[in-house]
Amino acid sequence: MSGRPDVPGMRDIRSGGGPLAAHLGPYFGDFGGRFVPEALIAALDEIDTEYHKALTDPAFGKELARLHRTYTGRPSPLTEVPRFARHVGEGVRVFLKREDLNHTGSHKINNVLGQALLVKRMGKTRLIAETGAGQHGVATATAAALMDLECVIYMGEEDTRRQALNVARMELLGATVVPVTIGTRTLKDAINEALRDWVANVETTHYLLGTVTGPHPFPEMVRDFHRVIGEEARAQLLDEIGRLPDAVAACVGGGSNAMGIFNAFLDDPDVRLFGFEAGGEGIESGRHSARFRGGAPGVLHGAKSYLLQDEDGQTLPSHSVSAGLDYPSVGPEHAWLHDIGRADYRPVTDVEAMDAFRLLCRTEGIIPAIESAHALAGAIQVGREASAWREDGQEPVLLVNLSGRGDKDVATAAAWFGLIEDEPVVLADEGEQL
Amino acid sequence: MTGSVVVRSQVGERLDKLRADEGRAALIGYLPVGFPTVAGSVEAVDTMVDAGVDIVELGVPYTDPVMDGPVIQRAADIALAGGARVRDTISAVEKVSGRGAPVLVMTYWNLVLRYGVDAFARDLAAAGGAGLITPDLIPDEGADWIAASDAHGLDRVFLVAPSSTPERLASTAAASRGFVYAASTMGVTGERATVGSRAEELVAHTRAAGAERVCVGLGVSRPEQATQVAGYADGVIVGSALVRTLLDAESASAGLDSLARLTADLAAGVASAARVAP
């Protein structure tokens, strides 16, 4: 595997030492790897090779940057939220990285455009992806339309019913949505079915995985496509306040938005990194998606990481009010950052997240995705510790990744807060993650 | 890969003996533990062995079987819903391994990881099992399993696919013991009208890459396909078609009858390709 020609001076940490931010797959400590059928190895090698080739090709970086500028709407703004910050802690300054303002409504587009450009280079003609509530499916269908690729989205039958509007959205964009009618009929099974499709059609098809999980090189590559979040935020913050934040907060489902914003700060030991998992109805209830609290190392969907599993190693169902955090495993790089103590992962319950959701709406006029509301609730949690962060008397600064907007969650939120009489749309055992 | 370790291969010896004595390939039959029940699966395996299967492949039901098509998924779902545990596989191996056919266990990797790789190998060997087939473990990730299978004298069957490069065919052949499992086609388990033409080519390439024995699976369901595959491979692996006899049956006994009939037909198919040992 090659080094990282796009980042001068970075070394491959696997050979010992080197910046955390430059760490390459396939392994992140004990985690990661390629636990997949042999039939997929050639395709994974091809992606790895083409990806590293693309990194050394200025035309690739230029085209991706052009798309981000003219299509995604990058750079996304950095917004200080003083009225919200009052609820975080006395004197704490809070800045939001506004990935919610990207085209398609979340950070997902960063990765999707990067992989789709790669697919064009590889000469493949068909994209497949999994989706739960539909956000990654919509982003993938968007890129497929833009780049003239055939697109098939696997979605659990349960989810297609609950998210009929997103199914229509994907179909409007020209994608075929295949309801998955086996297993638990939700996201986990949609991934299984996408993997089965990929094994059978790998010669023409690229599996556009939506987060920093899966077999190598996905965790490394998807992280890299999202690094732009942290790089922009770091520069914007330096511009705005002349120094780095004291802490960075992000929600963690598979973990792509968190890796994207963490990466730029991994080698700044004074910057605390907080990842917030879905605590669901509470860890003790058993209905949660808190892999670091309720899980143990194991293998699912091609990577070794923390995993919600039973005594036998069978995958356990996860739960969250937020479909995007509702997944039984987590990206292997997060597992590594957890074990080496570089990042701190904590659970946020459904109730805490929904309270923070409403708080941001009312104090700042921003409706966040329920996923991102977990990061906001987490900010409120760690804000209690903020007074201890600095010894020089300066105000503590907290950077929160607002990974997505809440349009998709309006029905869920309206039901949660009793604004309408309908049942919540996404209140289910399983939902979207990737 | 195994260095100086010399381990007898239960499955390899069986394949060699069939070739030497009867001039034919082996019929390898797959059934999942716990389907329809744990006791029912043991009975089904006994039926299959009595009807002519040479080597047994016992599947461990798993929540996320990405290499399996709908038939085996359904059977695994039924087994899990019925409360099948991983330890039931060890006890099933113990019950069926005395019947005269070596027993390989087919398992997704997380179940072994959770049990403990060495502990699983130890318990499988103690139960009389022959080894493991690992559909989502490539040798590159299998250092623990390679060590444990050497320590406990077990076969390790890794897979190759039509997409495998010559380098990977060679490294997989070197890491395997017993045989190499050649996936006949790019895809998951399930019955298919024809066995991919790439299967014969893949067997030849895998042998050329150093494999002593190569067996073919995925999509083999009918006696004439078994004959065809037995003409060039060391073993013919049938799964979904056997499982379906039990899934489709009106009653347990009708299922076993139908399983016995299909097994006997497949065995006859394999035998009809018999040739003088080289």
Side-chain angles (χ1 to χ4, degrees):
Chain A
M1 217 148 306
S2 64
R4 305 186 59 85
D6 58 330
V7 184
M10 281 200 170
R11 283 170 293 141
D12 181 349
I13 195 173
R14 286 174 306 168
S15 53
L20 297 179
H23 194 90
L24 296 176
Y27 303 105
F28 299 90
D30 286 339
F31 305 103
R34 284 179 166 183
F35 295 87
V36 290
E38 164 66 23
L40 293 177
I41 297 297
L44 293 169
D45 279 342
E46 184 192 7
I47 295 168
D48 196 28
T49 304
E50 285 298 322
Y51 170 60
H52 284 93
K53 232 192 271 175
L55 286 181
T56 62
D57 178 358
F60 180 81
K62 212 172 137 191
E63 176 60 5
L64 186 55
R66 186 190 68 81
L67 279 174
H68 278 333
R69 196 176 61 248
T70 63
Y71 191 75
T72 309
R74 302 210 74 91
S76 65
L78 186 74
T79 306
E80 182 162 14
V81 284
R83 277 174 38 77
F84 177 80
R86 266 184 241 149
H87 300 265
V88 171
E90 186 64 31
V92 181
R93 296 181 73 181
V94 177
F95 292 83
L96 303 183
K97 179 59 176 164
R98 300 293 304 279
E99 293 298 296
D100 60 314
L101 296 178
N102 293 339
H103 181 43
T104 72
S106 79
H107 70 292
K108 293 286 186 196
I109 193 82
N110 301 327
N111 165 51
V112 163
L113 288 178
Q115 286 198 48
L117 276 184
L118 199 64
V119 170
K120 295 298 270 188
R121 288 172 69 98
M122 292 191 291
K124 295 195 174 181
T125 55
R126 182 171 174 266
L127 291 183
I128 57 171
E130 77 295 338
T131 202
Q135 293 309 110
H136 176 57
V138 168
T140 302
T142 299
L146 178 68
M147 299 193 198
D148 190 21
L149 295 161
E150 188 190 341
C151 182
V152 176
I153 304 293
Y154 288 94
M155 190 168 183
E157 193 189 35
E158 281 296 307
D159 295 331
T160 60
R161 243 198 315 272
R162 293 198 297 250
Q163 298 291 331
L165 211 60
N166 267 338
V167 173
R169 201 171 277 163
M170 289 182 266
E171 286 172 345
L172 283 171
L173 291 162
T176 304
V177 178
V178 179
V180 175
T181 58
I182 46 182
T184 56
R185 303 179 183 208
T186 54
L187 175 69
K188 177 175 78 64
D189 304 281
I191 297 175
N192 292 339
E193 206 54 15
L195 284 167
R196 293 180 188 117
D197 178 318
W198 202 28
V199 170
N201 300 295
V202 68
E203 279 163 33
T204 60
T205 299
H206 177 72
Y207 182 9
L208 208 159
L209 197 68
T211 189
V212 290
T213 54
H216 177 72
F218 284 109
E220 174 193 317
M221 178 173 71
V222 176
R223 172 201 68 195
D224 285 354
F225 285 136
H226 284 302
R227 282 195 330 196
V228 64
I229 304 171
E231 283 164 3
E232 282 180 10
R234 185 187 171 97
Q236 288 166 322
L237 211 49
L238 284 173
D239 215 34
E240 192 80 24
I241 63 168
R243 64 177 176 87
L244 295 178
D246 298 295
V248 178
C251 64
V252 180
S256 65
N257 90 81
M259 274 324 307
I261 198 159
F262 284 179
N263 188 263
F265 303 98
L266 281 178
D267 295 294
D268 299 305
D270 293 338
V271 179
R272 294 156 191 80
L273 303 176
F274 294 101
F276 295 100
E277 305 186 277
E281 295 171 11
I283 306 302
E284 60 292 338
S285 73
R287 290 173 54 76
H288 62 80
S289 308
R291 292 69 44 105
F292 291 115
R293 290 296 167 97
V299 165
L300 179 69
H301 296 145
K304 188 173 178 192
S305 186
Y306 279 78
L307 173 66
L308 296 181
Q309 55 184 324
D310 72 8
E311 210 189 316
D312 275 7
Q314 308 286 0
T315 310
L316 286 173
S318 52
H319 166 82
S320 171
V321 64
S322 147
L325 304 183
D326 193 346
Y327 181 62
S329 188
V330 61
E333 190 167 2
H334 285 294
W336 175 60
L337 295 176
H338 170 269
D339 277 16
I340 65 173
R342 179 61 190 97
D344 188 350
Y345 297 86
R346 304 180 183 189
V348 162
T349 64
D350 291 348
V351 171
E352 291 171 312
M354 293 310 291
D355 286 350
F357 175 97
R358 183 162 60 181
L359 185 63
L360 191 74
C361 293
R362 297 202 172 169
T363 55
E364 301 289 346
I366 298 169
I367 301 178
I370 298 177
E371 290 77 19
S372 318
H374 284 70
L376 296 165
I380 294 169
Q381 268 186 23
V382 299
R384 296 180 204 124
E385 307 157 18
S387 59
W389 289 348
R390 296 199 71 87
E391 289 166 358
D392 62 2
Q394 289 193 55
E395 299 142 321
V397 173
L398 181 55
L399 171 65
V400 180
N401 197 15
L402 200 72
S403 55
R405 61 178 172 244
D407 304 33
K408 69 183 174 61
D409 297 320
V410 168
T412 305
W416 180 276
F417 295 115
L419 307 179
I420 52 173
E421 296 199 352
D422 288 356
E423 282 297 301
V425 178
V426 197
L427 264 186
D429 282 346
E430 262 105 353
E432 183 200 21
Q433 126 71 14
L434 304 173
Chain B
M1 209 78 160
T2 54
S4 59
V5 181
V6 178
V7 176
R8 281 184 55 193
S9 165
Q10 258 199 63
V11 165
E13 286 177 7
R14 176 58 51 97
L15 291 170
D16 292 348
K17 190 164 160 42
L18 286 171
R19 183 61 78 198
D21 294 355
E22 303 175 37
R24 67 171 177 92
L27 176 63
I28 302 172
Y30 168 96
L31 286 174
V33 176
F35 168 72
T37 61
V38 174
S41 60
V42 169
E43 204 180 342
V45 169
D46 286 348
T47 302
M48 191 171 73
V49 173
D50 293 348
V53 147
D54 301 299
I55 295 167
V56 171
E57 183 185 343
L58 262 188
V60 191
Y62 177 51
T63 43
D64 299 277
V66 296
M67 265 303 278
D68 285 307
V71 169
I72 292 177
Q73 285 173 45
R74 250 162 67 212
D77 275 358
I78 292 168
L80 289 173
R85 300 291 308 269
V86 170
R87 60 171 178 260
D88 293 329
T89 298
I90 302 289
S91 58
V93 168
E94 206 159 21
K95 292 197 178 81
V96 302
S97 61
R99 205 127 182 139
V103 181
L104 286 166
V105 167
M106 198 295 298
T107 181
Y108 290 90
W109 194 240
N110 196 50
L111 304 177
V112 178
L113 212 53
R114 187 71 165 161
Y115 195 101
V117 177
D118 193 72
F120 195 97
R122 178 198 65 211
D123 291 354
L124 179 62
L132 290 184
I133 300 174
T134 51
D136 63 348
L137 184 76
I138 55 174
D140 321 44
E141 303 285 358
D144 290 354
W145 164 232
I146 287 169
S149 52
D150 282 346
H152 298 284
L154 293 169
D155 287 329
R156 45 176 186 256
V157 176
F158 292 108
L159 279 72
V160 293
S163 61
S164 301
T165 59
E167 295 75 33
R168 291 200 61 82
L169 291 180
S171 60
T172 306
S176 298
R177 179 165 50 232
F179 62 88
V180 174
Y181 188 131
S184 70
T185 180
M186 294 299 289
V188 297
T189 59
E191 299 151 84
R192 290 179 179 81
T194 57
V195 176
S197 59
R198 295 160 92 179
E200 184 166 4
E201 231 173 274
L202 178 59
V203 170
H205 291 160
T206 308
R207 285 215 180 94
E212 266 186 276
R213 309 171 198 91
V214 186
C215 301
V216 170
L218 298 196
V220 188
S221 56
R222 296 204 302 264
E224 60 273 22
Q225 293 171 326
T227 306
Q228 183 200 340
V229 173
Y232 58 80
D234 299 297
V236 181
I237 306 168
V238 183
S240 296
L242 296 170
V243 174
R244 198 165 54 78
T245 60
L246 302 179
L247 267 176
D248 289 354
E250 309 251 313
S251 69
S253 66
L256 292 176
D257 287 349
S258 158
L259 175 67
R261 267 197 309 278
L262 178 61
T263 305
D265 290 349
L266 289 164
V270 167
S272 72
R275 60 179 193 271
V276 181

PDB file of all heavy atoms in Angstrom, chain A residues 100 105 357 367-370 404-411:
ATOM      1  N   ASP A 100     -25.248  20.215   7.630  1.00  0.00           N
ATOM      2  CA  ASP A 100     -26.682  20.154   7.315  1.00  0.00           C
ATOM      3  C   ASP A 100     -27.022  20.978   6.081  1.00  0.00           C
ATOM      4  O   ASP A 100     -28.056  20.771   5.463  1.00  0.00           O
ATOM      5  CB  ASP A 100     -27.505  20.637   8.519  1.00  0.00           C
ATOM      6  CG  ASP A 100     -27.184  22.080   8.908  1.00  0.00           C
ATOM      7  OD1 ASP A 100     -25.981  22.425   8.980  1.00  0.00           O
ATOM      8  OD2 ASP A 100     -28.125  22.865   9.132  1.00  0.00           O
ATOM      9  N   GLY A 105     -28.619  17.355   2.184  1.00  0.00           N
ATOM     10  CA  GLY A 105     -28.975  17.547   3.579  1.00  0.00           C
ATOM     11  C   GLY A 105     -28.088  16.955   4.642  1.00  0.00           C
ATOM     12  O   GLY A 105     -28.442  16.995   5.819  1.00  0.00           O
ATOM     13  N   PHE A 357     -32.633  18.520  20.437  1.00  0.00           N
ATOM     14  CA  PHE A 357     -33.217  18.804  19.119  1.00  0.00           C
ATOM     15  C   PHE A 357     -34.103  20.045  19.215  1.00  0.00           C
ATOM     16  O   PHE A 357     -33.950  21.012  18.475  1.00  0.00           O
ATOM     17  CB  PHE A 357     -34.028  17.569  18.690  1.00  0.00           C
ATOM     18  CG  PHE A 357     -34.797  17.705  17.404  1.00  0.00           C
ATOM     19  CD1 PHE A 357     -34.259  17.228  16.207  1.00  0.00           C
ATOM     20  CD2 PHE A 357     -36.068  18.262  17.379  1.00  0.00           C
ATOM     21  CE1 PHE A 357     -34.974  17.325  15.018  1.00  0.00           C
ATOM     22  CE2 PHE A 357     -36.790  18.365  16.195  1.00  0.00           C
ATOM     23  CZ  PHE A 357     -36.242  17.894  15.013  1.00  0.00           C
ATOM     24  N   ILE A 367     -33.149  23.433  12.551  1.00  0.00           N
ATOM     25  CA  ILE A 367     -33.729  22.125  12.852  1.00  0.00           C
ATOM     26  C   ILE A 367     -32.695  21.062  12.488  1.00  0.00           C
ATOM     27  O   ILE A 367     -32.402  20.842  11.317  1.00  0.00           O
ATOM     28  CB  ILE A 367     -35.034  21.879  12.057  1.00  0.00           C
ATOM     29  CG1 ILE A 367     -36.061  22.975  12.405  1.00  0.00           C
ATOM     30  CG2 ILE A 367     -35.594  20.484  12.356  1.00  0.00           C
ATOM     31  CD1 ILE A 367     -37.381  22.857  11.635  1.00  0.00           C
ATOM     32  N   PRO A 368     -32.107  20.416  13.496  1.00  0.00           N
ATOM     33  CA  PRO A 368     -31.047  19.442  13.201  1.00  0.00           C
ATOM     34  C   PRO A 368     -31.618  18.062  12.899  1.00  0.00           C
ATOM     35  O   PRO A 368     -32.756  17.757  13.265  1.00  0.00           O
ATOM     36  CB  PRO A 368     -30.278  19.387  14.521  1.00  0.00           C
ATOM     37  CG  PRO A 368     -31.340  19.591  15.564  1.00  0.00           C
ATOM     38  CD  PRO A 368     -32.374  20.516  14.952  1.00  0.00           C
ATOM     39  N   ALA A 369     -30.826  17.231  12.253  1.00  0.00           N
ATOM     40  CA  ALA A 369     -31.182  15.816  12.158  1.00  0.00           C
ATOM     41  C   ALA A 369     -31.157  15.232  13.572  1.00  0.00           C
ATOM     42  O   ALA A 369     -30.399  15.701  14.428  1.00  0.00           O
ATOM     43  CB  ALA A 369     -30.174  15.083  11.285  1.00  0.00           C
ATOM     44  N   ILE A 370     -31.975  14.218  13.816  1.00  0.00           N
ATOM     45  CA  ILE A 370     -31.984  13.631  15.168  1.00  0.00           C
ATOM     46  C   ILE A 370     -30.622  12.990  15.474  1.00  0.00           C
ATOM     47  O   ILE A 370     -30.180  12.985  16.622  1.00  0.00           O
ATOM     48  CB  ILE A 370     -33.144  12.622  15.331  1.00  0.00           C
ATOM     49  CG1 ILE A 370     -34.478  13.365  15.155  1.00  0.00           C
ATOM     50  CG2 ILE A 370     -33.096  11.957  16.698  1.00  0.00           C
ATOM     51  CD1 ILE A 370     -35.699  12.460  15.221  1.00  0.00           C
ATOM     52  N   GLY A 404     -26.313  16.752   9.876  1.00  0.00           N
ATOM     53  CA  GLY A 404     -27.425  16.721   8.922  1.00  0.00           C
ATOM     54  C   GLY A 404     -28.582  17.571   9.390  1.00  0.00           C
ATOM     55  O   GLY A 404     -28.664  17.955  10.562  1.00  0.00           O
ATOM     56  N   ARG A 405     -29.484  17.849   8.464  1.00  0.00           N
ATOM     57  CA  ARG A 405     -30.642  18.664   8.824  1.00  0.00           C
ATOM     58  C   ARG A 405     -31.847  17.787   9.104  1.00  0.00           C
ATOM     59  O   ARG A 405     -31.902  16.618   8.717  1.00  0.00           O
ATOM     60  CB  ARG A 405     -30.937  19.699   7.746  1.00  0.00           C
ATOM     61  CG  ARG A 405     -31.277  19.149   6.378  1.00  0.00           C
ATOM     62  CD  ARG A 405     -31.589  20.318   5.436  1.00  0.00           C
ATOM     63  NE  ARG A 405     -31.746  19.897   4.056  1.00  0.00           N
ATOM     64  CZ  ARG A 405     -30.934  20.272   3.054  1.00  0.00           C
ATOM     65  NH1 ARG A 405     -29.881  21.032   3.301  1.00  0.00           N
ATOM     66  NH2 ARG A 405     -31.171  19.868   1.830  1.00  0.00           N
ATOM     67  N   GLY A 406     -32.816  18.400   9.767  1.00  0.00           N
ATOM     68  CA  GLY A 406     -33.903  17.602  10.311  1.00  0.00           C
ATOM     69  C   GLY A 406     -35.157  17.496   9.472  1.00  0.00           C
ATOM     70  O   GLY A 406     -36.164  16.961   9.953  1.00  0.00           O
ATOM     71  N   ASP A 407     -35.122  17.928   8.213  1.00  0.00           N
ATOM     72  CA  ASP A 407     -36.344  17.842   7.395  1.00  0.00           C
ATOM     73  C   ASP A 407     -36.935  16.441   7.428  1.00  0.00           C
ATOM     74  O   ASP A 407     -38.139  16.252   7.558  1.00  0.00           O
ATOM     75  CB  ASP A 407     -36.053  18.196   5.930  1.00  0.00           C
ATOM     76  CG  ASP A 407     -35.414  19.563   5.772  1.00  0.00           C
ATOM     77  OD1 ASP A 407     -34.644  19.971   6.671  1.00  0.00           O
ATOM     78  OD2 ASP A 407     -35.680  20.218   4.749  1.00  0.00           O
ATOM     79  N   LYS A 408     -36.051  15.456   7.301  1.00  0.00           N
ATOM     80  CA  LYS A 408     -36.496  14.061   7.255  1.00  0.00           C
ATOM     81  C   LYS A 408     -37.108  13.621   8.578  1.00  0.00           C
ATOM     82  O   LYS A 408     -37.790  12.606   8.643  1.00  0.00           O
ATOM     83  CB  LYS A 408     -35.312  13.150   6.909  1.00  0.00           C
ATOM     84  CG  LYS A 408     -34.280  13.084   8.040  1.00  0.00           C
ATOM     85  CD  LYS A 408     -33.065  12.248   7.675  1.00  0.00           C
ATOM     86  CE  LYS A 408     -31.990  12.305   8.742  1.00  0.00           C
ATOM     87  NZ  LYS A 408     -32.381  11.800  10.068  1.00  0.00           N
ATOM     88  N   ASP A 409     -36.831  14.367   9.649  1.00  0.00           N
ATOM     89  CA  ASP A 409     -37.244  13.944  10.986  1.00  0.00           C
ATOM     90  C   ASP A 409     -38.456  14.704  11.520  1.00  0.00           C
ATOM     91  O   ASP A 409     -38.849  14.503  12.675  1.00  0.00           O
ATOM     92  CB  ASP A 409     -36.081  14.130  11.971  1.00  0.00           C
ATOM     93  CG  ASP A 409     -34.892  13.254  11.622  1.00  0.00           C
ATOM     94  OD1 ASP A 409     -35.124  12.089  11.227  1.00  0.00           O
ATOM     95  OD2 ASP A 409     -33.745  13.722  11.723  1.00  0.00           O
ATOM     96  N   VAL A 410     -39.020  15.556  10.693  1.00  0.00           N
ATOM     97  CA  VAL A 410     -40.099  16.404  11.188  1.00  0.00           C
ATOM     98  C   VAL A 410     -41.284  15.579  11.704  1.00  0.00           C
ATOM     99  O   VAL A 410     -41.832  15.848  12.772  1.00  0.00           O
ATOM    100  CB  VAL A 410     -40.532  17.419  10.103  1.00  0.00           C
ATOM    101  CG1 VAL A 410     -41.840  18.101  10.497  1.00  0.00           C
ATOM    102  CG2 VAL A 410     -39.433  18.467   9.912  1.00  0.00           C
ATOM    103  N   ALA A 411     -41.640  14.542  10.956  1.00  0.00           N
ATOM    104  CA  ALA A 411     -42.789  13.733  11.386  1.00  0.00           C
ATOM    105  C   ALA A 411     -42.487  13.023  12.711  1.00  0.00           C
ATOM    106  O   ALA A 411     -43.332  12.972  13.613  1.00  0.00           O
ATOM    107  CB  ALA A 411     -43.148  12.724  10.306  1.00  0.00           C
TER     108      ALA A 411
END
